[in-house]
Amino acid sequence: MAKYEIRGGTPLTGTVTISGAKNAAVAILPAALLVKGVCRVENVPDIADVRILLDILADMGAVVTRQDDGVVLLDCTNITNLNPNPELVRKMRASYYLMGALLSRFGKAEVALPGGCSFASRPIDQHIKGFRMLGAKVRETEDYVYLETGAGGLQGNRIVLDVVSVGATVNIILAASLLPGQTIIENAAKEPHIVDLANFLNTMGAKISGAGTDTVKIKGVAELHGGSYAIIPDQIEAGTYIAAAAATRGNVLVKNVIPKHMDCITSKLQEMGATITNYDDAIRVQCNERLVSTKVKTRPYPGFPTDMQAQICVCMATAEGVSQLTESVYETRFFGYCSELENMGAKIEINGKTAMVTGKETLKGTTVHARDLRAGAALIIAGLIASGTTYVENIHYVERGYEHIIEKLQALGADIRRIEE
Ligand code: EPU
């Protein structure tokens, strides 16, 4: 087991370059299953979730070539095994996108239920509802989902989602792309990675419009062809470094970002006293003084992302005054890290969906345990602020989604290292 050792107290300074977006990559790579031909995908982050997905696809017969420069070549023309390896599927969340992709291309799928970060109950009823509305016959067991073409065949339909779900929106886009007729998703998620997936598929010949709004239209096409596509920068990775720079009272230029995607995060840090300067594809964050308290409520995009809840909570934990943090996407997400932050001296009172965070002058280093990806990132930021030494355990969660995090933080002056035990 490995862990991170962090000696806190150094403001982050310098430049960090953001990698390709995890949650776009994990949708786009399975989307290559729809394509006959070679997909050249640039800006693919080298993180555990991507490695697992590529292993799953290779095991299914895809020809996968990973280059050093973040480029992946994927040829899914000749898929020979329609049963994704269940052990690999259970190692991550986004493997559920194999369901939509296989259904669209082959009219059937047998996929184990996914694993991944379990900070809340994460139902997939909206994905299943979508598949059924497209004509699939669905059978669910305790650990598997079986999809096949129903008696009336598969075809486009209008699907109104009960909740705004990234996963269901992606899965329905995948499932509908090769079906006859038009599919309309109402109450669709609007996250940047939904737009990225649609742009990828359109580059390969799909006919998807409206991505980024709450109505997405997919006109099914008979076949998709190969092509080249670059994944967008990771909004949450960028937000994590921006929060870390502000919390350590640093001065960091965060490169390779789309500033518009960051507004929901940077506007909050600005309110807390950080100076934010937007450039075309970079953001500078500077902070010379203690942050001040604020009020944040997580919401689907373009609201403040739930995936930044834990990182902003650390900023609040040492800000002056009492902050209010409300979670509206995953109610139980506080339990992944708040008790760990309390062990470091933070004062957090959770009442249902809301945490009241009383800012302390500083935090103190101790051993803490990551229980999910973003919780782990937040504990690293806490360690960077804290006095003394912090050990972050369970770092496999962090390595699921942050490319070269240790090297990037070291380059910003952080005293952090990975220890193998
Ligand atoms: N929901 C349902 N039924 C469904 C699907 C979702 O009730 O069938 C509910 C969920 O319980 C939740 C809400 O809808 O309350 C939103 O869930 P969503 O489906 O949007 O989440 P997801 O697709 O499972 C993705 C990201 C998560 C991120 C959420 C919310 C990927 C692979 N994962 O999850 O990212 O927290 O959207 O933005 O895209 C992370 O990167 O650390 C991460 C957990």
Side-chain angles (χ1 to χ4, degrees):
M1 294 290 266
K3 62 184 175 188
Y4 296 147
E5 181 186 73
I6 308 164
R7 281 179 234 282
T10 314
L12 297 185
T13 52
T15 300
V16 62
T17 303
I18 298 308
S19 303
K22 168 181 92 85
N23 288 343
V26 297
I28 284 173
L29 298 175
L33 274 173
L34 303 181
V35 177
K36 287 187 180 153
V38 179
C39 298
R40 181 177 184 281
V41 191
E42 293 172 27
N43 220 15
V44 180
D46 185 16
I47 51 175
D49 272 11
V50 161
R51 288 193 286 270
I52 296 167
L53 255 182
L54 292 177
D55 284 349
I56 294 174
L57 292 170
D59 181 63
M60 294 170 72
V63 181
V64 179
T65 314
R66 179 144 208 164
Q67 300 178 356
D68 287 343
D69 52 359
V71 172
V72 170
L73 304 177
L74 254 179
D75 185 351
C76 297
T77 310
N78 297 310
I79 293 298
T80 46
N81 165 18
L82 290 187
N83 299 316
N85 180 322
E87 274 174 38
L88 294 176
V89 165
R90 289 190 189 107
K91 283 189 178 170
M92 61 179 295
R93 187 79 199 155
S95 51
Y96 53 28
Y97 295 147
L98 296 163
M99 296 178 196
L102 286 170
L103 183 69
S104 199
R105 169 105 182 258
F106 299 104
K108 60 180 177 176
E110 290 186 20
V111 183
L113 282 173
C117 288
S118 58
F119 45 72
S121 128
R122 300 179 74 183
I124 59 163
D125 57 295
Q126 297 302 300
H127 306 227
I128 303 293
K129 165 178 162 169
F131 298 147
R132 287 206 166 105
M133 296 288 288
L134 295 173
K137 201 169 140 202
V138 185
R139 185 165 66 86
E140 293 175 81
T141 65
E142 215 171 82
D143 53 1
Y144 252 87
V145 176
Y146 300 87
L147 305 173
E148 57 182 300
T149 304
L154 294 170
Q155 58 193 335
N157 203 348
R158 182 167 178 269
I159 299 162
V160 182
L161 293 178
D162 303 354
V163 291
V164 178
S165 160
V166 171
T169 305
V170 167
N171 239 336
I172 296 168
I173 290 175
L174 293 173
S177 286
L178 295 177
L179 302 192
Q182 176 168 257
T183 295
I184 300 177
I185 310 173
E186 299 286 7
N187 200 22
K190 297 181 277 205
E191 267 67 4
H193 32 287
I194 304 282
V195 180
D196 212 32
L197 170 71
N199 287 342
F200 166 82
L201 287 168
N202 285 342
T203 303
M204 309 300 154
K207 291 206 163 71
I208 302 168
S209 58
T213 75
D214 50 19
T215 304
V216 179
K217 293 185 181 167
I218 307 121
K219 282 191 183 139
V221 296
E223 212 169 272
L224 297 181
H225 52 73
S228 189
Y229 189 78
I231 291 177
I232 51 166
D234 196 308
Q235 177 207 30
I236 305 299
E237 189 200 12
T240 301
Y241 285 101
I242 289 170
T248 59
R249 299 183 206 174
N251 181 350
V252 173
L253 182 67
V254 184
K255 283 171 59 172
N256 190 35
V257 296
I258 299 174
K260 176 95 187 123
H261 293 169
M262 305 308 303
D263 282 349
C264 44
I265 300 164
T266 48
S267 64
K268 276 293 152 192
L269 285 161
Q270 239 165 349
E271 261 177 54
M272 294 181 83
T275 304
I276 303 287
T277 314
N278 285 340
Y279 302 98
D280 283 351
D281 60 356
I283 293 176
R284 179 172 294 283
V285 52
Q286 270 173 288
C287 189
N288 303 323
E289 290 176 15
R290 190 174 174 193
L291 294 170
V292 294
S293 58
T294 189
K295 209 170 164 180
V296 169
K297 184 170 184 177
T298 67
R299 296 177 196 276
Y301 190 81
F304 187 92
T306 173
D307 289 344
M308 280 297 297
Q309 183 218 91
Q311 300 90 315
I312 200 81
C313 185
V314 175
C315 295
M316 293 169 166
T318 51
E320 203 171 333
V322 181
S323 297
Q324 183 178 322
L325 179 56
T326 302
E327 172 61 44
S328 67
V329 182
Y330 291 114
E331 279 180 37
T332 50
R333 209 160 187 174
F334 292 125
F335 300 107
Y337 65 95
C338 284
S339 57
E340 304 298 306
L341 285 183
E342 282 170 325
N343 289 339
M344 297 180 75
K347 187 158 182 253
I348 306 170
E349 252 176 70
I350 301 169
N351 191 355
K353 293 180 176 183
T354 298
M356 300 303 293
V357 187
T358 305
K360 296 293 207 61
E361 283 279 344
T362 188
L363 301 175
K364 58 178 189 315
T366 185
T367 297
V368 288
H369 307 270
R371 298 210 187 93
D372 69 69
L373 168 62
R374 308 304 173 187
L379 294 174
I380 292 174
I381 302 176
L384 294 172
I385 308 172
S387 58
T389 305
T390 300
Y391 293 95
V392 180
E393 298 190 331
N394 284 352
I395 58 171
H396 61 279
Y397 283 117
V398 177
E399 294 175 354
R400 168 179 286 170
Y402 287 89
E403 186 179 50
H404 306 318
I405 187 163
I406 294 302
E407 293 82 353
K408 288 185 184 185
L409 286 170
Q410 283 171 344
L412 294 173
D415 187 347
I416 181 168
R417 64 190 183 114
R418 190 180 196 277
I419 306 175
E420 295 288 347
E421 286 192 328

